[in-house]
Amino acid sequence: MAYNLDMPLEQALRTQRALRRLKTDPVEEELLLHLLDLAIRAPSGSNAQGWEFVVVRERETMARLARLNRQAFSLFRLFKPLAKMTPTRQRMFESARWQADHFEEIPALIIPCLKQVIWPFPFLAATSAFGSIYPAVQNLLLGARAAGLGAALITIPLWNLGAVRRAVGLPWRVTPCCLIPLGWPLEEYTPNRRRPVREVVSFERYGRRL
Ligand SMILES: Cc1cc2nc3c(=O)[nH]c(=O)nc-3n(C[C@H](O)[C@H](O)[C@H](O)COP(=O)(O)O)c2cc1C
């Protein structure tokens, strides 16, 4: 089946956001495969394409991941009083809480993995490893945006890497890098808000702003 993902790239980039409130309606397998086919158009170090994606839809597995997410979210909540709660942060927190409360109902969840053990040292190895999966993750998020699906990149369930591995049967050599819940959104995509570009760009030497 052909899917219409013809949204202008600039519009997709400016409105791709973490949408965590999702309907329970299923997402077609063919659409998931199509998005993953777009995801793997991404670059990877030496074009090794050492990625592997696990799509979770079974309720039992989702419940195990939901438990891990809730445990991590409870820890995260402990530190909430230490963070300066701006309205934006408060909104993000509420949306993450909604997701934690409804995790079992997520229609599909994708776990992008690398078929390697990722050592934190040397730095070059670690940066090449994660740099070889996140372009594909971003392709997936942009594809989901263009398809009108809600998606968010989450990592907190990975606080217990062993439990995530066991939940989906990953061998020890395969490392899950993040999780992406997907579903038809209960909310609208709105423009994402970021710091002004001139505040984060230096020319020639660090700190030399335009
Ligand atoms: C590396 C990384 C890890 C993240 N982990 C989580 C997470 O565990 N839980 C969550 O709800 N959101 C997570 N996010 C989503 C961010 O909170 C979100 O992208 C950010 O707040 C910007 O939101 P916006 O795109 O809606 O403006 C993560 C994002 C990144 C890039």
Side-chain angles (χ1 to χ4, degrees), residues 7-210:
M7 176 177 285
L9 182 59
E10 175 136 7
Q11 186 187 350
L13 289 166
R14 290 193 184 277
T15 58
Q16 191 284 312
R17 292 196 41 230
L19 291 200
R20 301 181 182 87
R21 294 178 175 89
L22 305 175
K23 295 180 188 166
T24 54
D25 307 310
V27 181
E28 269 175 65
E29 207 158 79
E30 281 301 318
L31 176 56
L32 292 172
L33 274 177
H34 185 75
L35 294 177
L36 287 163
D37 189 34
L38 294 176
I40 60 172
R41 304 296 116 199
S44 57
S46 307
N47 200 19
Q49 303 177 53
W51 41 50
E52 189 77 45
F53 300 84
V54 181
V55 179
V56 177
R57 290 169 304 174
E58 282 176 4
R59 294 301 103 195
E60 198 186 313
T61 312
M62 206 69 88
R64 288 173 75 171
L65 296 172
R67 232 177 354 261
L68 289 174
N69 187 66
R70 258 197 292 279
Q71 287 164 354
F73 189 67
S74 315
L75 282 176
F76 179 69
R77 261 162 60 168
L78 289 181
F79 293 97
K80 190 185 166 207
L82 302 179
K84 197 168 155 248
M85 268 297 152
T86 58
T88 309
R89 280 220 181 112
Q90 185 60 36
R91 270 198 301 278
M92 189 198 72
F93 185 81
E94 292 306 329
S95 133
R97 179 162 47 201
W98 195 97
Q99 184 181 60
D101 290 343
H102 296 81
F103 209 95
E104 282 88 347
E105 297 149 30
I106 291 168
L109 183 139
I110 296 177
I111 309 182
C113 305
L114 282 169
K115 286 191 279 183
Q116 66 178 93
V117 176
I118 301 172
W119 304 101
F121 302 106
F123 178 69
L124 182 60
T127 195
S128 300
F130 287 115
S132 290
I133 191 73
Y134 274 108
V137 169
Q138 182 65 9
N139 274 9
L140 181 57
L141 294 173
L142 284 170
R145 165 60 194 112
L149 281 167
L153 188 172
I154 66 170
T155 48
I156 57 168
L158 297 176
W159 74 278
N160 191 338
L161 206 55
V164 173
R165 280 203 170 100
R166 283 192 296 280
V168 293
L170 293 178
W172 66 271
R173 293 167 263 99
V174 179
T175 308
C177 298
C178 63
L179 298 86
I180 306 178
L182 279 170
W184 300 106
L186 279 168
E187 50 194 322
E188 296 286 311
Y189 272 104
T190 51
N192 50 45
R193 289 196 245 168
R194 302 292 185 254
R195 290 169 58 194
V197 65
R198 285 164 191 266
E199 263 184 29
V200 295
V201 178
S202 303
F203 280 82
E204 322 312 340
R205 311 272 305 171
Y206 181 78
R208 199 179 285 171
R209 310 282 184 214
L210 268 195

